[in-house]
Amino acid sequence: MHISFLLHNAYGIGGTIRTTFNLAQALAERHDVEIVSVFRHRDEPTLGAPVGVTLKHLVDLRKHSAGYDGDHPDHKRPAKVFPRGDGRWKQYSRLTDIRIAAHLKSLAADVVVGTRPGLNVHIARQTRRGPVRVGQEHLTLDSHGYRLRREIGFRYPLLDAVTTVTEADARSYRTSLRLPGVRIDTVPNSVPAPTVGPADSTAKWVVAAGRLTKVKRYDLLIEAFAKVVAARPDWRLRIYGSGDATGNEKSALRALVERHGLHNHVYLMGPANPLEPEWVKGSVAAVTSRLESFGMTIVEAMRCGLPVVSTDCPHGPGEIIEDGVDGRLVPVGDVDAIADALLGLIQDDDLRRRTGEAALAASRRFDPVRIAERHEALFTELVARGPGARSRGRVHDTLHRARGAVLDAAYTIRYQAADVLRKGKRA
C-alpha cells in the first residue's frame, strides 16, 4: 500500500510528531510511506527523519530557502477550510487552504491519514475520490471546544475511519456524534524499545517528565514528595520538561520547592532529549496530571522498567497501568494517595523490583511493530472494500457537503459581526 500521512509540522517537537514518525517507520518496512508536513521551518527534523519514509512539505517558512513562502500574500490571509476551533488555526492561511487542497486532489495514495482535527477536516472536504480517508485523534473529543466538536460532527461523516488512542475516547465518538458508516477504532500510540538497558530499581530517584503546565499538576507531586522526604530523606525527585511561554508555572514550582525546604530533594531539570537515559537513572516514575489524552510518558517509563504511580485521570492511565501489578493508580488531586503510593514502592525493594519487571513486560504491547500491525489491518480492510463499497453514495456526500457549506456561511456571518463589534469598541 501507499500510505500518506498529513502532519502539521514534522520539523518540530511533540508527541504527535514522535508517534507519527514511529508508526510511519514501522509501516515502511512493508509499505510505501510518506509524511507530508504542512509547514517546514528548519532544514532537518528535530527528532530525526524516520528511516525509509519519504518526507515532503507544502509551505516553506525557512527564510534562507529559495522557496520561502512567508512573503506570499495568501500567507497573511486567514484560512477558510482549516477550522477556527482547532488551536492551530492562526498558523493556517488561505495559502495552506490552497496548498493542502492541491495536494489532496492529486494524491495517488491508497490511504491518507490526518493527524489533528483541522487536517482531518481538510481530508474529509478535499481528498479526491479513491483513497481511504482516516482521521487520527491524538487528543480527545471532550477536550475540544464546542465550535470544533460541531465542525467535527459535520465533516467527519465524509471520513472512512477515525482512530483514537484510548477506548474511552472512542466511546465518546460513538455516543456523542452521529457518524454513520464511519469506522471508529482504538489504536494506542507506540513507543519503541529503549536504546539503553532497563532501570535496576536500586537508584533512590523518582522521575517525572512533561511540560511544566498546570494540567500536569506538578504542584501536587511536590506536595506529595514533601511527605515522602519526611519518611525517606534519602530519596530525591527529578522533574524533566520545559516551562510554558510565560515561565510562571516554573517560577511557582520553584517557590513551592523553597517553601517546603526541598531544594536538596526536588530538581527541575529542564527538557531532555532523549529521555531514556534519564528514566533509567530512576526507580519509580510519577504522573500527577488531572487530564491525559493518552499518557506517552507512562509508556516511556514502563519501557525503561519503571513502575509508574499515576493519577487515574481521563483518558489514558487506566488503560495502560494495571493497578498493583505494573504500577499504581490513585485518585486525581489526592496528595496523600500520591505520597502513600510512592512510599509503598520506595519502602519495599522487592515490590519495586517486581513491579518494574511487570511494567517492562506489559509495555511491549506498545511496540511500534505491534501498533503498526493494527493500523495495517484497518487500512487493508478498508482498501479491500474499494471506493464504491466504502462510499455512502453521492447523495450522502452531497448532503454532508451542503450542510458544511451552510455551517461555513453561518460562521462567516458570526465572525464578521464579531469583527465589527470589536472595531466599534476600539473606536
Side-chain angles (χ1 to χ4, degrees), residues 356-380:
E357 290 174 350
L360 182 63
S363 70
R364 295 188 181 109
R365 71 187 189 273
F366 299 101
D367 188 85
V369 172
R370 296 189 180 187
I371 299 303
E373 287 172 349
R374 293 172 65 173
H375 282 284
E376 182 182 42
L378 172 64
F379 298 165
T380 300

Side-chain angles (χ1 to χ4, degrees), residues 156-414:
Y156 278 23
L158 294 175
L159 296 173
D160 295 298
V162 173
T163 63
T164 65
V165 292
T166 65
E167 182 56 33
D169 195 38
R171 286 196 296 270
S172 293
Y173 271 89
R174 295 181 188 119
T175 59
S176 301
L177 300 177
R178 293 184 60 193
L179 301 176
V182 179
R183 175 85 168 264
I184 299 173
D185 275 11
T186 300
V187 188
N189 288 329
S190 65
V191 176
T195 57
V196 296
D200 64 8
S201 82
T202 62
K204 296 179 179 181
W205 287 95
V206 175
V207 182
R211 290 196 66 209
L212 306 185
T213 58
K214 290 186 182 300
V215 73
K216 297 297 185 182
R217 295 308 309 266
Y218 289 126
D219 57 326
L220 297 181
L221 178 56
I222 293 170
E223 296 276 4
F225 205 73
K227 297 177 180 291
V228 170
V229 169
R232 290 296 300 266
D234 53 334
W235 277 70
R236 289 170 171 76
L237 167 66
R238 289 189 177 114
I239 301 175
Y240 291 90
S242 58
D244 59 14
T246 65
N248 292 340
E249 186 67 11
K250 188 172 186 179
S251 297
L253 294 176
R254 280 178 173 166
L256 190 59
V257 169
E258 292 301 319
R259 189 182 315 146
H260 285 284
L262 295 172
H263 52 277
N264 288 326
H265 288 88
V266 177
Y267 302 88
L268 302 181
M269 304 296 294
N273 185 31
L275 259 173
E276 294 166 351
E278 309 311 318
W279 285 123
V280 298
K281 292 175 184 176
S283 294
V284 179
V287 174
T288 50
S289 304
R290 62 175 174 80
L291 178 67
E292 288 282 351
S293 56
F294 175 63
M296 285 284 283
T297 56
I298 296 174
V299 180
E300 289 171 356
M302 292 173 69
R303 294 228 70 177
C304 289
L306 273 69
V308 182
V309 172
S310 173
T311 46
D312 191 12
C313 63
H315 286 73
E319 296 185 23
I320 299 172
I321 296 170
E322 186 176 357
D323 187 33
V325 177
D326 50 30
R328 289 296 314 279
L329 293 169
V330 299
V332 175
D334 191 330
V335 171
D336 289 337
I338 296 167
D340 289 346
L342 289 171
L343 280 169
L345 291 167
I346 287 170
Q347 301 280 40
D348 190 330
D349 294 345
D350 186 54
L351 174 64
R352 188 170 66 251
R353 178 188 56 77
R354 292 198 319 270
T355 311
E357 290 174 350
L360 182 63
S363 70
R364 295 188 181 109
R365 71 187 189 273
F366 299 101
D367 188 85
V369 172
R370 296 189 180 187
I371 299 303
E373 287 172 349
R374 293 172 65 173
H375 282 284
E376 182 182 42
L378 172 64
F379 298 165
T380 300
E381 180 183 333
L382 292 173
V383 168
R385 292 182 186 177
R390 290 196 312 268
S391 173
R392 272 73 73 191
R394 291 182 180 274
V395 172
H396 174 276
D397 284 9
T398 301
L399 172 62
H400 280 284
R401 292 185 190 280
R403 292 174 69 191
V406 171
L407 179 67
D408 289 340
Y411 278 150
T412 298
I413 293 170
R414 185 182 301 174

Side-chain angles (χ1 to χ4, degrees), residues 39-240:
F39 299 105
R40 182 178 186 177
H41 71 289
R42 58 185 299 151
D43 291 339
E44 299 297 332
T46 304
L47 299 180
V51 177
V53 177
T54 301
L55 193 58
K56 303 175 182 178
H57 65 276
L58 302 178
V59 176
D60 194 338
L61 297 181
R62 296 171 296 164
K63 289 189 175 180
H64 64 272
S65 170
Y68 177 62
D69 290 311
D71 293 330
H72 195 290
D74 284 334
H75 180 60
K76 308 298 182 184
R77 302 171 65 198
K80 282 192 171 184
V81 178
F82 193 89
R84 286 191 182 225
D86 189 303
R88 295 284 187 181
W89 179 75
K90 289 186 177 179
Q91 297 178 43
Y92 284 73
S93 65
R94 201 65 55 82
L95 181 62
T96 58
D97 284 352
I98 295 168
R99 296 278 175 87
I100 296 172
H103 162 64
L104 293 174
K105 287 174 181 175
S106 64
L107 183 64
D110 298 296
V111 182
V112 56
V113 184
T115 53
R116 65 175 305 114
L119 298 179
N120 297 339
V121 167
H122 269 282
I123 287 172
R125 295 182 64 178
Q126 298 176 322
T127 304
R128 70 176 183 83
R129 182 175 169 81
V132 169
R133 293 167 286 186
V134 178
Q136 289 183 346
E137 176 61 88
H138 289 277
L139 297 175
T140 66
L141 180 62
D142 294 343
S143 69
H144 301 319
Y146 171 78
R147 178 188 296 171
L148 183 56
R149 290 199 305 272
R150 183 172 173 81
E151 179 119 17
I152 285 172
F154 275 111
R155 308 298 187 184
Y156 278 23
L158 294 175
L159 296 173
D160 295 298
V162 173
T163 63
T164 65
V165 292
T166 65
E167 182 56 33
D169 195 38
R171 286 196 296 270
S172 293
Y173 271 89
R174 295 181 188 119
T175 59
S176 301
L177 300 177
R178 293 184 60 193
L179 301 176
V182 179
R183 175 85 168 264
I184 299 173
D185 275 11
T186 300
V187 188
N189 288 329
S190 65
V191 176
T195 57
V196 296
D200 64 8
S201 82
T202 62
K204 296 179 179 181
W205 287 95
V206 175
V207 182
R211 290 196 66 209
L212 306 185
T213 58
K214 290 186 182 300
V215 73
K216 297 297 185 182
R217 295 308 309 266
Y218 289 126
D219 57 326
L220 297 181
L221 178 56
I222 293 170
E223 296 276 4
F225 205 73
K227 297 177 180 291
V228 170
V229 169
R232 290 296 300 266
D234 53 334
W235 277 70
R236 289 170 171 76
L237 167 66
R238 289 189 177 114
I239 301 175
Y240 291 90

Side-chain angles (χ1 to χ4, degrees), residues 3-7 16-36 49-55 113 115 136 190 368-369 371-372 375 379:
I3 304 165
S4 180
F5 289 88
L6 186 59
L7 189 61
T16 300
I17 302 169
R18 188 162 68 250
T19 194
T20 301
F21 279 19
N22 290 342
L23 174 59
Q25 182 167 308
L27 287 169
E29 294 285 335
R30 293 194 289 182
H31 302 281
D32 179 13
V33 181
E34 68 177 15
I35 294 175
V36 178
V51 177
V53 177
T54 301
L55 193 58
V113 184
T115 53
Q136 289 183 346
S190 65
V369 172
I371 299 303
H375 282 284
F379 298 165

